[in-house]
Amino acid sequence: MTTGSPHTPGPDESVTDLDVVVVGAGFGGIYMLHHLQQLGFSARVLEMGDGVGGTWYWNRYPGARCDVPSLEYSYGFSKELQLEWEWTEIMPAQEEIEQYLNHVVDRFDLRGDIQLGTRVTAATYDEGRARWLVETDSGERFSASFCVMATGCLSAPTVPEVPGRDSFQGRILQTSMWPREGVDLSGLRVGLIGTGSTGVQATPEIARDAAHLYVFQRTATYSFPAYRGMIDPELQATFKANPDDFRRQQRETFAGVAGFGGALGPAAPPTRRILDTPVEERMAVLDQEGFWAARTWADVLVDLEANEAGSELFREMVRRTVHDPEVAEALSPRGYPIGCKRLVFGVDYFEAFNRDNVTLVDLHKGAIESITPTGIQTGQGHYDLDVIVFATGFDAMTGALNRIDICGRGGRLLREEWSGGGRALFGLQSHGFPNMFLITGPGSPSVLANMVVGIEHHVEWIGDCLIYLRDHGCHTIEPTLEAQDAWVAHVNEVSEGTMYTAPTCNSWYVGANIPGKPRVFMPYAGGLPAYIERADASASAGYEGFTIG
Ligand code: NA7
């Protein structure tokens, strides 16, 4: 199908009428539903999973954990919620976030309007009626004035096509679709493919259980030590004494992380420059403080030469940690700057390779050729396995939307409109798709900032917009092409000169992990405050840059 045409349901087709259909029941969809209810709109959330939580429902692999502190990575919209809920760990594990989101759903009585086990397959705009027709995998249809896609930035998993996959007689698992009942890996030979955030978190956990773990590494990772530990009750009490102030600070902070208390306290920006520090002194700093790219050195994340000096220090840290020099060398990242990919945080990742039951398979010495009935065949030999785990990432930012047949004004398909990269004004709405809102869409800070802070901003912006339309007797809103083009140009401009867009940087931020995906840097790198100021200024000016009808 290359173009779609508006479909008006016939009289015999049953259609549920709503003000708003929300797709996805993660952090975005849950708050959107609550907010819409508060504003008096009828809404239903359609969610593919059999439970709520989005990312935190699906990613239940061993070691799955957030790398933003729990007090930061939580809703600020309800003071009561913040006072009631007690976080236990500084960095929340998947389970705790999933419990939290379930609590929110029950606390605000949202479950009745969340339809689980429902995959949205198509959304078609009927221009004459100014309504979206949303269709699901079970053939259900919903008609709504507005559609909010809360589909997530890292929710469309990718698994490489490896020949022979179906022949494997053991078990194949994927980290982002880990069985809810868990998996007992004890006594088994496990092959883990992928060493991004997921692979780094899973490695030490799987190593603890499996008889043997083979880690298949294509690109060595800059993995930094993650915080672990329980939240100091005093710290939590201080937070609860004034949560609003803290949430305001978050929105005023570049990455939406205010820095709160204890080890996570407001980190003064570093002033020490690696290029101005003699090599022996750099080593002394490494001895005393370990290696924290952004916290230790002022220049490592802003200057490519300083970055390479930082990389060398990082490699020294790996050499000091990993006993086998050959393995240490293979685990040492080279050829791309620190910070070009999403920073990875792990506990005992490099240490895991000192265990007798962990083997690094450096794919530079022979790539994966096929999956056989008994394991993985590489250019350097065959590995006998009982379980293969794919931790191979996601079609980020645009993948989840492009997998739905979204058909806008004049029969245009979103995935075709976005064939050269995702385009949306403020990451909130795309030209040609009136009344469809995106939460953390391409062109929003999204994955470069605390997701929850960005999500809350978007939800409230969308709510204000719907109220504005209602109050002004209007029915449609859509960005102008000019305003959208200008925003995309601005998004590109602010990413120039950053590590994200360095020529040697191949990350999911630029779509490099998906064969054929255009190389476009997708999130907004100008920081949350600048973003919020611009998006809110448009709203205050009567939605400047948008056409309202
Ligand atoms: P990532 O960061 O995209 O990592 C995927 C990993 O899988 C990465 O090491 C890839 O190597 C590897 N990969 C992908 N395809 C292959 C094939 N065909 N062969 C071998 N290795 C492969 O995904 P994650 O799930 O770890 O993290 C995603 C985000 O979630 C993370 O950034 C946080 O924001 C949370 P490559 O580097 O491409 O050589």
Side-chain angles (χ1 to χ4, degrees), residues 280-304:
E280 318 77 65
E281 259 181 60
R282 295 177 195 171
M283 294 298 169
V285 173
L286 182 66
D287 285 338
Q288 285 153 21
E289 301 178 20
F291 186 84
W292 283 86
R295 283 181 172 241
T296 314
W297 305 105
D299 49 351
V300 163
L301 293 184
V302 291
D303 176 282
L304 274 175

PDB file of all heavy atoms in Angstrom, residues 280-304:
ATOM      1  N   GLU A 280      50.260  12.169  33.371  1.00  0.00           N
ATOM      2  CA  GLU A 280      50.411  11.526  34.696  1.00  0.00           C
ATOM      3  C   GLU A 280      49.316  12.011  35.643  1.00  0.00           C
ATOM      4  O   GLU A 280      48.796  11.238  36.456  1.00  0.00           O
ATOM      5  CB  GLU A 280      51.764  11.841  35.361  1.00  0.00           C
ATOM      6  CG  GLU A 280      52.991  11.805  34.472  1.00  0.00           C
ATOM      7  CD  GLU A 280      53.101  13.046  33.613  1.00  0.00           C
ATOM      8  OE1 GLU A 280      53.278  14.136  34.167  1.00  0.00           O
ATOM      9  OE2 GLU A 280      52.973  12.924  32.369  1.00  0.00           O
ATOM     10  N   GLU A 281      48.980  13.286  35.525  1.00  0.00           N
ATOM     11  CA  GLU A 281      47.925  13.816  36.402  1.00  0.00           C
ATOM     12  C   GLU A 281      46.557  13.231  36.043  1.00  0.00           C
ATOM     13  O   GLU A 281      45.719  12.997  36.907  1.00  0.00           O
ATOM     14  CB  GLU A 281      47.854  15.338  36.272  1.00  0.00           C
ATOM     15  CG  GLU A 281      48.539  16.059  37.414  1.00  0.00           C
ATOM     16  CD  GLU A 281      48.409  17.561  37.251  1.00  0.00           C
ATOM     17  OE1 GLU A 281      47.263  18.059  37.229  1.00  0.00           O
ATOM     18  OE2 GLU A 281      49.453  18.223  37.097  1.00  0.00           O
ATOM     19  N   ARG A 282      46.341  13.008  34.752  1.00  0.00           N
ATOM     20  CA  ARG A 282      45.067  12.381  34.339  1.00  0.00           C
ATOM     21  C   ARG A 282      44.948  11.017  35.021  1.00  0.00           C
ATOM     22  O   ARG A 282      43.882  10.625  35.477  1.00  0.00           O
ATOM     23  CB  ARG A 282      45.038  12.163  32.820  1.00  0.00           C
ATOM     24  CG  ARG A 282      45.053  13.432  32.015  1.00  0.00           C
ATOM     25  CD  ARG A 282      45.105  13.096  30.525  1.00  0.00           C
ATOM     26  NE  ARG A 282      45.486  14.274  29.755  1.00  0.00           N
ATOM     27  CZ  ARG A 282      45.785  14.266  28.457  1.00  0.00           C
ATOM     28  NH1 ARG A 282      45.748  13.137  27.782  1.00  0.00           N
ATOM     29  NH2 ARG A 282      46.112  15.383  27.839  1.00  0.00           N
ATOM     30  N   MET A 283      46.076  10.305  35.060  1.00  0.00           N
ATOM     31  CA  MET A 283      46.087   8.980  35.700  1.00  0.00           C
ATOM     32  C   MET A 283      45.769   9.110  37.191  1.00  0.00           C
ATOM     33  O   MET A 283      45.056   8.286  37.760  1.00  0.00           O
ATOM     34  CB  MET A 283      47.451   8.297  35.518  1.00  0.00           C
ATOM     35  CG  MET A 283      47.762   7.945  34.096  1.00  0.00           C
ATOM     36  SD  MET A 283      46.566   6.757  33.416  1.00  0.00           S
ATOM     37  CE  MET A 283      46.989   6.819  31.685  1.00  0.00           C
ATOM     38  N   ALA A 284      46.319  10.148  37.794  1.00  0.00           N
ATOM     39  CA  ALA A 284      46.077  10.344  39.230  1.00  0.00           C
ATOM     40  C   ALA A 284      44.583  10.614  39.463  1.00  0.00           C
ATOM     41  O   ALA A 284      43.980  10.110  40.416  1.00  0.00           O
ATOM     42  CB  ALA A 284      46.918  11.502  39.745  1.00  0.00           C
ATOM     43  N   VAL A 285      43.982  11.383  38.554  1.00  0.00           N
ATOM     44  CA  VAL A 285      42.544  11.660  38.680  1.00  0.00           C
ATOM     45  C   VAL A 285      41.759  10.354  38.520  1.00  0.00           C
ATOM     46  O   VAL A 285      40.802  10.085  39.251  1.00  0.00           O
ATOM     47  CB  VAL A 285      42.091  12.706  37.623  1.00  0.00           C
ATOM     48  CG1 VAL A 285      40.583  12.872  37.629  1.00  0.00           C
ATOM     49  CG2 VAL A 285      42.779  14.043  37.870  1.00  0.00           C
ATOM     50  N   LEU A 286      42.210   9.538  37.567  1.00  0.00           N
ATOM     51  CA  LEU A 286      41.555   8.245  37.355  1.00  0.00           C
ATOM     52  C   LEU A 286      41.642   7.406  38.639  1.00  0.00           C
ATOM     53  O   LEU A 286      40.655   6.787  39.052  1.00  0.00           O
ATOM     54  CB  LEU A 286      42.222   7.513  36.193  1.00  0.00           C
ATOM     55  CG  LEU A 286      41.631   6.159  35.784  1.00  0.00           C
ATOM     56  CD1 LEU A 286      40.228   6.322  35.219  1.00  0.00           C
ATOM     57  CD2 LEU A 286      42.513   5.467  34.745  1.00  0.00           C
ATOM     58  N   ASP A 287      42.808   7.416  39.254  1.00  0.00           N
ATOM     59  CA  ASP A 287      42.989   6.661  40.509  1.00  0.00           C
ATOM     60  C   ASP A 287      42.026   7.149  41.578  1.00  0.00           C
ATOM     61  O   ASP A 287      41.415   6.349  42.290  1.00  0.00           O
ATOM     62  CB  ASP A 287      44.419   6.857  41.056  1.00  0.00           C
ATOM     63  CG  ASP A 287      45.421   6.056  40.257  1.00  0.00           C
ATOM     64  OD1 ASP A 287      44.982   5.086  39.626  1.00  0.00           O
ATOM     65  OD2 ASP A 287      46.610   6.422  40.258  1.00  0.00           O
ATOM     66  N   GLN A 288      41.915   8.460  41.688  1.00  0.00           N
ATOM     67  CA  GLN A 288      41.141   9.021  42.805  1.00  0.00           C
ATOM     68  C   GLN A 288      39.632   9.005  42.552  1.00  0.00           C
ATOM     69  O   GLN A 288      38.837   8.766  43.451  1.00  0.00           O
ATOM     70  CB  GLN A 288      41.579  10.465  43.072  1.00  0.00           C
ATOM     71  CG  GLN A 288      42.920  10.548  43.784  1.00  0.00           C
ATOM     72  CD  GLN A 288      43.639  11.852  43.459  1.00  0.00           C
ATOM     73  OE1 GLN A 288      43.008  12.818  43.037  1.00  0.00           O
ATOM     74  NE2 GLN A 288      44.939  11.881  43.661  1.00  0.00           N
ATOM     75  N   GLU A 289      39.229   9.304  41.322  1.00  0.00           N
ATOM     76  CA  GLU A 289      37.797   9.548  41.072  1.00  0.00           C
ATOM     77  C   GLU A 289      37.166   8.554  40.115  1.00  0.00           C
ATOM     78  O   GLU A 289      35.963   8.624  39.857  1.00  0.00           O
ATOM     79  CB  GLU A 289      37.604  10.955  40.482  1.00  0.00           C
ATOM     80  CG  GLU A 289      38.127  12.055  41.374  1.00  0.00           C
ATOM     81  CD  GLU A 289      37.967  13.427  40.732  1.00  0.00           C
ATOM     82  OE1 GLU A 289      37.149  13.567  39.806  1.00  0.00           O
ATOM     83  OE2 GLU A 289      38.678  14.342  41.162  1.00  0.00           O
ATOM     84  N   GLY A 290      37.972   7.683  39.516  1.00  0.00           N
ATOM     85  CA  GLY A 290      37.431   6.841  38.469  1.00  0.00           C
ATOM     86  C   GLY A 290      37.225   7.695  37.222  1.00  0.00           C
ATOM     87  O   GLY A 290      37.763   8.804  37.124  1.00  0.00           O
ATOM     88  N   PHE A 291      36.450   7.203  36.305  1.00  0.00           N
ATOM     89  CA  PHE A 291      36.285   7.968  35.067  1.00  0.00           C
ATOM     90  C   PHE A 291      34.825   8.332  34.843  1.00  0.00           C
ATOM     91  O   PHE A 291      33.977   7.483  34.623  1.00  0.00           O
ATOM     92  CB  PHE A 291      36.798   7.164  33.875  1.00  0.00           C
ATOM     93  CG  PHE A 291      36.777   7.985  32.617  1.00  0.00           C
ATOM     94  CD1 PHE A 291      37.825   8.824  32.324  1.00  0.00           C
ATOM     95  CD2 PHE A 291      35.698   7.947  31.764  1.00  0.00           C
ATOM     96  CE1 PHE A 291      37.808   9.612  31.182  1.00  0.00           C
ATOM     97  CE2 PHE A 291      35.656   8.724  30.633  1.00  0.00           C
ATOM     98  CZ  PHE A 291      36.721   9.563  30.343  1.00  0.00           C
ATOM     99  N   TRP A 292      34.563   9.590  34.921  1.00  0.00           N
ATOM    100  CA  TRP A 292      33.211  10.084  34.649  1.00  0.00           C
ATOM    101  C   TRP A 292      33.332  11.169  33.598  1.00  0.00           C
ATOM    102  O   TRP A 292      33.712  12.295  33.897  1.00  0.00           O
ATOM    103  CB  TRP A 292      32.605  10.688  35.917  1.00  0.00           C
ATOM    104  CG  TRP A 292      32.153   9.636  36.846  1.00  0.00           C
ATOM    105  CD1 TRP A 292      32.893   8.989  37.778  1.00  0.00           C
ATOM    106  CD2 TRP A 292      30.843   9.085  36.914  1.00  0.00           C
ATOM    107  NE1 TRP A 292      32.132   8.067  38.431  1.00  0.00           N
ATOM    108  CE2 TRP A 292      30.873   8.107  37.919  1.00  0.00           C
ATOM    109  CE3 TRP A 292      29.647   9.322  36.223  1.00  0.00           C
ATOM    110  CZ2 TRP A 292      29.751   7.363  38.254  1.00  0.00           C
ATOM    111  CZ3 TRP A 292      28.548   8.586  36.555  1.00  0.00           C
ATOM    112  CH2 TRP A 292      28.596   7.612  37.556  1.00  0.00           C
ATOM    113  N   ALA A 293      33.000  10.822  32.377  1.00  0.00           N
ATOM    114  CA  ALA A 293      33.273  11.721  31.261  1.00  0.00           C
ATOM    115  C   ALA A 293      32.810  13.140  31.519  1.00  0.00           C
ATOM    116  O   ALA A 293      33.571  14.095  31.421  1.00  0.00           O
ATOM    117  CB  ALA A 293      32.612  11.181  30.008  1.00  0.00           C
ATOM    118  N   ALA A 294      31.575  13.289  31.895  1.00  0.00           N
ATOM    119  CA  ALA A 294      31.018  14.636  31.981  1.00  0.00           C
ATOM    120  C   ALA A 294      31.257  15.267  33.338  1.00  0.00           C
ATOM    121  O   ALA A 294      31.385  16.475  33.461  1.00  0.00           O
ATOM    122  CB  ALA A 294      29.526  14.593  31.689  1.00  0.00           C
ATOM    123  N   ARG A 295      31.324  14.421  34.373  1.00  0.00           N
ATOM    124  CA  ARG A 295      31.452  14.979  35.718  1.00  0.00           C
ATOM    125  C   ARG A 295      32.886  15.352  36.041  1.00  0.00           C
ATOM    126  O   ARG A 295      33.144  16.194  36.886  1.00  0.00           O
ATOM    127  CB  ARG A 295      30.952  13.967  36.746  1.00  0.00           C
ATOM    128  CG  ARG A 295      29.448  13.919  36.776  1.00  0.00           C
ATOM    129  CD  ARG A 295      28.958  12.931  37.816  1.00  0.00           C
ATOM    130  NE  ARG A 295      27.521  13.067  37.930  1.00  0.00           N
ATOM    131  CZ  ARG A 295      26.887  13.409  39.040  1.00  0.00           C
ATOM    132  NH1 ARG A 295      27.549  13.644  40.149  1.00  0.00           N
ATOM    133  NH2 ARG A 295      25.584  13.518  39.058  1.00  0.00           N
ATOM    134  N   THR A 296      33.847  14.666  35.402  1.00  0.00           N
ATOM    135  CA  THR A 296      35.245  14.883  35.757  1.00  0.00           C
ATOM    136  C   THR A 296      35.898  15.929  34.865  1.00  0.00           C
ATOM    137  O   THR A 296      36.690  16.739  35.326  1.00  0.00           O
ATOM    138  CB  THR A 296      36.029  13.552  35.635  1.00  0.00           C
ATOM    139  OG1 THR A 296      35.275  12.525  36.265  1.00  0.00           O
ATOM    140  CG2 THR A 296      37.385  13.658  36.301  1.00  0.00           C
ATOM    141  N   TRP A 297      35.555  15.915  33.596  1.00  0.00           N
ATOM    142  CA  TRP A 297      36.278  16.739  32.634  1.00  0.00           C
ATOM    143  C   TRP A 297      35.315  17.678  31.905  1.00  0.00           C
ATOM    144  O   TRP A 297      34.285  17.246  31.400  1.00  0.00           O
ATOM    145  CB  TRP A 297      36.992  15.841  31.614  1.00  0.00           C
ATOM    146  CG  TRP A 297      37.909  14.830  32.247  1.00  0.00           C
ATOM    147  CD1 TRP A 297      37.681  13.493  32.390  1.00  0.00           C
ATOM    148  CD2 TRP A 297      39.185  15.076  32.835  1.00  0.00           C
ATOM    149  NE1 TRP A 297      38.729  12.886  33.028  1.00  0.00           N
ATOM    150  CE2 TRP A 297      39.685  13.830  33.308  1.00  0.00           C
ATOM    151  CE3 TRP A 297      39.977  16.217  33.007  1.00  0.00           C
ATOM    152  CZ2 TRP A 297      40.917  13.701  33.945  1.00  0.00           C
ATOM    153  CZ3 TRP A 297      41.210  16.076  33.636  1.00  0.00           C
ATOM    154  CH2 TRP A 297      41.665  14.844  34.100  1.00  0.00           C
ATOM    155  N   ALA A 298      35.719  18.928  31.814  1.00  0.00           N
ATOM    156  CA  ALA A 298      34.842  19.923  31.189  1.00  0.00           C
ATOM    157  C   ALA A 298      34.831  19.818  29.671  1.00  0.00           C
ATOM    158  O   ALA A 298      33.866  20.212  29.021  1.00  0.00           O
ATOM    159  CB  ALA A 298      35.285  21.331  31.607  1.00  0.00           C
ATOM    160  N   ASP A 299      35.928  19.272  29.111  1.00  0.00           N
ATOM    161  CA  ASP A 299      36.057  19.354  27.653  1.00  0.00           C
ATOM    162  C   ASP A 299      35.789  18.044  26.908  1.00  0.00           C
ATOM    163  O   ASP A 299      35.658  18.049  25.687  1.00  0.00           O
ATOM    164  CB  ASP A 299      37.448  19.895  27.276  1.00  0.00           C
ATOM    165  CG  ASP A 299      38.587  19.177  28.015  1.00  0.00           C
ATOM    166  OD1 ASP A 299      38.276  18.398  28.938  1.00  0.00           O
ATOM    167  OD2 ASP A 299      39.752  19.407  27.672  1.00  0.00           O
ATOM    168  N   VAL A 300      35.669  16.935  27.641  1.00  0.00           N
ATOM    169  CA  VAL A 300      35.604  15.639  26.956  1.00  0.00           C
ATOM    170  C   VAL A 300      34.376  15.501  26.047  1.00  0.00           C
ATOM    171  O   VAL A 300      34.459  14.938  24.958  1.00  0.00           O
ATOM    172  CB  VAL A 300      35.669  14.482  27.994  1.00  0.00           C
ATOM    173  CG1 VAL A 300      35.192  13.171  27.403  1.00  0.00           C
ATOM    174  CG2 VAL A 300      37.095  14.331  28.505  1.00  0.00           C
ATOM    175  N   LEU A 301      33.265  16.054  26.479  1.00  0.00           N
ATOM    176  CA  LEU A 301      32.051  15.879  25.669  1.00  0.00           C
ATOM    177  C   LEU A 301      31.813  17.029  24.681  1.00  0.00           C
ATOM    178  O   LEU A 301      30.796  17.046  23.995  1.00  0.00           O
ATOM    179  CB  LEU A 301      30.824  15.694  26.575  1.00  0.00           C
ATOM    180  CG  LEU A 301      30.790  14.397  27.392  1.00  0.00           C
ATOM    181  CD1 LEU A 301      29.491  14.266  28.166  1.00  0.00           C
ATOM    182  CD2 LEU A 301      31.009  13.156  26.524  1.00  0.00           C
ATOM    183  N   VAL A 302      32.777  17.953  24.621  1.00  0.00           N
ATOM    184  CA  VAL A 302      32.550  19.082  23.700  1.00  0.00           C
ATOM    185  C   VAL A 302      33.640  19.240  22.646  1.00  0.00           C
ATOM    186  O   VAL A 302      33.469  20.000  21.698  1.00  0.00           O
ATOM    187  CB  VAL A 302      32.391  20.423  24.470  1.00  0.00           C
ATOM    188  CG1 VAL A 302      31.102  20.473  25.256  1.00  0.00           C
ATOM    189  CG2 VAL A 302      33.568  20.697  25.391  1.00  0.00           C
ATOM    190  N   ASP A 303      34.732  18.517  22.796  1.00  0.00           N
ATOM    191  CA  ASP A 303      35.862  18.721  21.886  1.00  0.00           C
ATOM    192  C   ASP A 303      36.406  17.347  21.485  1.00  0.00           C
ATOM    193  O   ASP A 303      36.672  16.507  22.346  1.00  0.00           O
ATOM    194  CB  ASP A 303      36.925  19.538  22.650  1.00  0.00           C
ATOM    195  CG  ASP A 303      38.194  19.737  21.852  1.00  0.00           C
ATOM    196  OD1 ASP A 303      39.011  18.779  21.783  1.00  0.00           O
ATOM    197  OD2 ASP A 303      38.368  20.826  21.312  1.00  0.00           O
ATOM    198  N   LEU A 304      36.551  17.114  20.188  1.00  0.00           N
ATOM    199  CA  LEU A 304      36.910  15.770  19.723  1.00  0.00           C
ATOM    200  C   LEU A 304      38.301  15.335  20.172  1.00  0.00           C
ATOM    201  O   LEU A 304      38.534  14.171  20.486  1.00  0.00           O
ATOM    202  CB  LEU A 304      36.807  15.696  18.197  1.00  0.00           C
ATOM    203  CG  LEU A 304      35.414  15.360  17.649  1.00  0.00           C
ATOM    204  CD1 LEU A 304      35.397  15.433  16.124  1.00  0.00           C
ATOM    205  CD2 LEU A 304      34.937  13.979  18.108  1.00  0.00           C
TER     206      LEU A 304
END
